Structures are given as structure tokens and as C-alpha cells.
Amino acid sequence: MKIKKLSALLICLLVLTSITGCGKDKESMGNDANIRNDVNDIDAEEVDNTEPVKILSAITGGKDPDEHVLWQKEIERVLGIKVDITKIANEYVTKLTATLASGDDMDIVYMNSGQFEKLFKTGLFEPLTKYIENSPILSDPDVVDPKEWERIRREDGEIYAVFNKYEGGRMPLIRRDWLETLGLEEPSTLDEYYEVFKAFTHNDPDGNNKDDTYGLTLKAIYDIQPFMSAYGLFDGEAQDENGKWYIPWATEEAVPVYDWLAKLYEEGLLDPNFATNTSSACREMILSNRAGMFVYWDNWVGLFNSKVRSKEPDNPFEIRGLPPILDENGNGVLTSGQDGLWVMLKTSKNKDQAFRFLESAFYTREGIIINTLGIEGHDYNIGNGKYVLTETGEQHAMDHGIVVPKTLNYESPMPQPLNYEEARDVVIKYGKSEILRDTTKDAKEIIKKHAIQAILGVVNGEKAVEDMQKELKAKKFID
């Protein structure tokens, strides 16, 4: 047994050396029956006599070492679960590697879905199916959509992870006030988007009597998924009916989208700096009234509106999130963020308490408040039934590991930014996570290089896709 365990850990170490770090790339419960009734009824002496749940985290916890101590005490006070959480802000994968390879006595660890896929083959993870099925919280379809559990169920029929939070997704973010000013409807086809972008560019939507606006700003081809959706294409990688790998954006079906984007560029409707833009540059284009649309994360619907209206309450500025373009079959798809996952190690000696932490910290009202708002009396206060952030809480932006919980029936005690909840619901309806492989990052660079050439008009879409496929095949990135 020791030899097998050592072999697994060595495999784990080798696998992790190729993994990139964990990234992000972001009250009342609707049904109190889903909240543990006994969460505050645990005797303090009983908690003191239990072994702490040992947790390795990249994001969950206090914002700095001093607050992390307070945060752990708040978890223990509110949830009645003794914890020992090691939070690693930098070089998390290095610590995760060392922890798993050394066999440290850790109960649960956090990782993203890419890391999970690489590590699953080591056999280090405890199946959680029975825990989830026996949980009145996690088995409730009003808390977690059963389709979500099926999405991460493995071929052996087991579920090996619990979701950390709702990861959001990327969608068209459009200036709703510009549409209203110009008397336009929200676009839903490539032709309608073209007409809207033309009006945004030439019809002075901000009313400053200057020719200084563009219909669309992009960060290279991140993210053109809402437009690719018109042809039933999805970002990332896919397998055909014969199990062969291909990349939808590098297929002939994608040619019309590249040619459409080239038309936008040629006619001056697309931000001319799109090829070299950063995300911050695109955000500034929106905030400074120079572009009418950007494809970005759903939470930025609320952030854009809040940023402007908090300083200028009477400003008509309004961002709204739109669904993807539907294909000929009426289907559409947006890119969801990669899952953040909690796994329990088979070596855990405290499995019941470890699962209870996962259940309570991320799926009950009490736990979600600690993981979002933070610590009562430190990050927020409650007065007359209302939650009010302190100055420290304002700085921490209601994020102590969760921005938006995975729980479907959660209602935040804080006012939600304009149009955010509507945007989130669109992503929940149409969002899908990419399939990523070891070669995906390099493959995406190849696609981007040739796509940009097409959009700039150096080559047409057909030639760009031909060049993509030739290079991808030569490097064996596709079959």
C-alpha cells in the first residue's frame, strides 16, 4: 500500500509541474429549509474537542494574515466547525504540489477544473457521491441544478468535487442608453449587430457632436463566442463522433464570422486597436463613451453601471447583457468560467467534518455571508435588519472567496447592481465551460494569429482557417 501511495504522489508531482496557477481569469436564503438548523447549536466544548478540518485554499479566507485569523474564528463561531485553513495567495500550485506529494495531513483542497482533470488520474480524491446524495442541502435541486452534478460526474458514476461558487461567463455588454437614444432594438443576428454598430459609430450616440465612437471594442478575439454561436460553434476544443479532436473556431463553419468581423474593421465600426487591446483598455473604451459594446464577464454589467452611476447618479449610462446569437436550430452558447472545485483527499481522517464544512461554508446562508461579506463587526454591521459594509468591507468588495454563490435560491442582503441579476440568468441559461487540454493554450495562439490576419483584411476568412488547420495539424494539436 505504501508503494502504491508513493507512486500516486510521485505521479501527482510530475503532473502538477505542468499546471498553471489557480485563477479567477469573482442575506437571506430563498428557502430556509435548506439551511442547517443545528449550525449554531453545537456546544463550544464539543467544537474544541474535535480535530480541525485542514484546508488548503487559493482564495477562501481573510484578505490578509491578520484578517485571516479573524475569518477562521468567524467560521468556527457561526458554523460550529473547527478549521485550520492555509491560504496561499501566490504560487498556489507549488504549495499544492508539495502538499500532495509529501502526503501532508490535509482534508480538503481547492483547485480549478484544469488542475482537477490532470490530477484525477492519480486516484487521490475521495468520491463524494454518497455525501452529496445524503445531503438535504446539496441534493436539493433548488440549491444546485442536478445537471451541474451530472456535468462533473465521472465515467465510474462518482462525483469527486463540490463547486466553490458561480464562476460567471462572458457575454455581449451593450450600451442600452445608446440604443434608446438612437431608437434601436437590441440586436439578435449578425446583420442586426452590424446595423447597430454602424449607428453607434456614425450617429453620435453620446451626443457630443464628435466623430469619436465605435460600435464594438475587442481584446483580439477574446471573446467572439457570442458571434460564433450564430453558426453553432463553441470556444475551446471538441471531439467528433469518431473521437477525433478538432477546434470549432478553426473549421470552415467559422469563415463567415471572420469575414463579418473583417467587414466591421474595414468600415471603421470596430475599434482599430482591437488586435493589441488589453481588457482594461476595452473597459476604458466603454467607460469613456468611445465604444458601444464589449464582450466580457457578466459581473461587469453591474460593475460598469455602478462605477458610472455612483459618481454621477443622473448619468443615463446603462450597460445591459445580451444572450448569444442563436443558430438555425434556435440554440446558443456563451463561454462560462472554468469551475473552481473543492476535493476531499482519500487520506483525510476527518471526512465527515470536512464534508460538513463544504456543505455549510458554501451552500448555507451563514456560510455564504462569511465567504462574501466577511466578518460581522469587521467587514459589515447589521442595524435595523439591514447589512451595512464598513470602510474595510467596502475595500474587500464582498469577496472572501465567493463573489456570487453557486446556490440557486440565494438572495443577497445587499442591493444588486443595475441589470446584473438579469445578466447572470442569461449566462446560467446559455453558459458552457470550454474543454481544455495541455495543448489548448498554444492552439489558441495559432487561431488568434490567423484570425487577426483575417479581420485586418490581410487574408480572407477561408485562407485564415486553412492556415489555422495546416499549422494545428503540423503540431498535432488536432487530429
Side-chain angles (χ1 to χ4, degrees):
M1 292 294 292
K2 289 183 178 179
I3 293 175
K4 289 183 179 179
K5 180 179 178 182
L6 179 59
S7 296
L9 291 171
L10 287 174
I11 291 171
C12 164
L13 178 60
L14 291 173
V15 170
L16 270 169
T17 57
S18 66
I19 300 175
T20 56
C22 281
K24 296 182 182 180
D25 208 343
K26 236 183 237 34
E27 301 175 6
S28 64
M29 199 68 83
N31 181 357
D32 285 341
N34 294 319
I35 304 171
R36 296 189 68 98
N37 294 322
D38 61 344
V39 79
N40 290 317
D41 296 334
I42 296 191
D43 186 88
E45 184 176 345
E46 180 184 342
V47 174
D48 289 340
N49 290 334
T50 60
E51 287 295 317
V53 177
K54 298 188 70 174
I55 303 164
L56 185 66
S57 167
I59 55 176
T60 301
K63 291 294 188 179
D64 55 55
D66 289 337
E67 192 195 54
H68 190 64
V69 174
L70 297 177
W71 189 90
Q72 288 192 110
K73 290 181 178 178
E74 184 77 344
I75 280 283
E76 295 182 347
R77 180 186 74 83
V78 175
L79 301 185
I81 301 173
K82 196 171 182 180
V83 296
D84 180 4
I85 303 177
T86 301
K87 181 182 178 183
I88 307 296
N90 299 309
E91 299 183 358
Y92 179 71
V93 173
T94 301
K95 178 62 178 177
L96 180 60
T97 302
T99 298
L100 295 177
S102 66
D104 279 359
D105 188 22
M106 200 66 66
D107 295 301
I108 52 180
V109 298
Y110 171 87
M111 61 188 64
N112 65 32
S113 56
Q115 292 157 1
F116 176 88
E117 290 299 327
K118 292 175 183 292
L119 287 168
F120 176 71
K121 66 187 71 174
T122 65
L124 296 174
F125 305 154
E126 177 75 13
L128 300 177
T129 316
K130 293 300 182 183
Y131 287 96
I132 293 168
E133 291 175 349
N134 293 329
S135 166
I137 299 173
L138 298 188
S139 65
D140 188 338
D142 291 329
V143 176
V144 181
D145 187 337
K147 292 179 181 178
E148 288 295 277
W149 295 124
E150 292 306 314
R151 183 168 62 80
I152 63 170
R153 190 186 295 273
R154 308 304 297 192
E155 292 181 357
D156 63 1
E158 298 283 2
I159 300 169
Y160 289 86
V162 170
F163 300 104
N164 179 63
K165 62 183 176 69
Y166 165 70
E167 300 294 345
R170 305 194 293 272
M171 66 192 312
L173 308 187
I174 197 165
R175 285 291 297 268
R176 175 68 179 275
D177 56 313
W178 284 14
L179 290 174
E180 293 180 349
T181 295
L182 300 177
L184 301 171
E185 298 293 329
E186 293 178 353
S188 61
T189 67
L190 288 175
D191 288 342
E192 290 176 2
Y193 270 105
Y194 169 77
E195 294 298 331
V196 165
F197 293 156
K198 187 163 64 172
F200 279 0
T201 303
H202 299 302
N203 294 357
D204 193 25
D206 60 344
N208 67 353
N209 296 315
K210 295 180 181 180
D211 183 18
D212 60 354
T213 56
Y214 296 96
L216 174 67
T217 185
L218 290 173
K219 175 188 173 184
I221 61 169
Y222 173 94
D223 179 11
I224 57 174
Q225 175 54 42
F227 311 128
M228 287 290 184
S229 177
Y231 291 88
L233 303 176
F234 183 57
D235 198 4
E237 311 212 16
Q239 287 179 289
D240 65 17
E241 62 275 8
N242 298 314
K244 292 185 177 181
W245 287 98
Y246 70 100
I247 300 176
W249 286 16
T251 61
E252 293 180 2
E253 288 81 3
V255 169
V257 179
Y258 295 128
D259 288 341
W260 178 79
L261 289 167
K263 180 181 179 181
L264 299 183
Y265 179 79
E266 182 183 11
E267 297 186 14
L269 313 184
L270 172 62
D271 175 5
N273 297 316
F274 82 94
T276 57
N277 271 343
T278 61
S279 292
S280 60
C282 292
R283 293 196 299 265
E284 184 56 30
M285 289 287 289
I286 295 294
L287 290 168
S288 61
N289 297 322
R290 287 182 289 153
M293 202 184 91
F294 178 33
V295 180
Y296 207 41
W297 296 96
D298 56 344
N299 65 303
W300 272 90
V301 170
L303 288 173
F304 275 131
N305 289 325
S306 295
K307 278 178 177 289
V308 173
R309 294 189 173 206
S310 63
K311 295 179 180 179
E312 305 173 62
D314 297 328
N315 194 318
F317 179 100
E318 181 181 352
I319 290 289
R320 187 175 182 185
L322 301 181
I325 298 175
L326 304 184
D327 64 19
E328 60 183 8
N329 297 314
N331 300 317
V333 62
L334 297 171
T335 305
S336 292
Q338 291 293 310
D339 293 317
L341 300 170
W342 289 101
V343 301
M344 184 190 300
L345 301 182
K346 282 186 175 179
T347 54
S348 168
K349 298 180 179 64
N350 200 7
K351 291 184 174 66
D352 288 342
Q353 282 292 94
F355 183 79
R356 185 163 176 265
F357 172 82
L358 295 178
E359 180 185 57
S360 300
F362 305 107
Y363 293 90
T364 69
R365 174 181 182 273
E366 296 90 344
I368 291 170
I369 287 179
I370 298 171
N371 272 299
T372 53
L373 273 65
I375 306 158
E376 184 177 356
H378 178 74
D379 291 292
Y380 70 93
N381 293 305
I382 304 175
N384 298 321
K386 293 184 178 181
Y387 288 69
V388 180
L389 295 179
T390 64
E391 183 176 347
T392 297
E394 292 281 359
Q395 295 171 355
H396 293 169
M398 297 185 289
D399 177 8
H400 288 78
I402 293 177
V403 178
V404 180
K406 190 77 172 177
T407 309
L408 293 174
N409 58 0
Y410 173 80
E411 296 178 5
S412 173
M414 306 299 291
Q416 295 301 293
L418 178 65
N419 295 337
Y420 167 68
E421 291 179 310
E422 177 188 53
R424 177 202 60 202
D425 291 344
V426 169
V427 171
I428 289 174
K429 180 177 180 179
Y430 293 104
K432 177 181 175 183
S433 296
E434 301 171 70
I435 296 175
L436 304 177
R437 299 195 294 164
D438 292 343
T439 57
T440 299
K441 183 178 180 182
D442 292 334
K444 280 181 175 255
E445 287 300 314
I446 292 171
I447 293 170
K448 182 174 78 170
K449 176 178 64 177
H450 294 294
I452 287 175
Q453 290 295 295
I455 298 170
L456 292 174
V458 178
V459 298
N460 61 23
E462 184 177 2
K463 174 61 173 167
V465 167
E466 180 183 326
D467 291 341
M468 287 177 198
Q469 292 187 3
K470 182 178 180 180
E471 190 168 349
L472 289 167
K473 288 177 181 177
K475 295 189 176 181
K476 298 183 178 179
F477 290 167
I478 60 175
D479 296 326

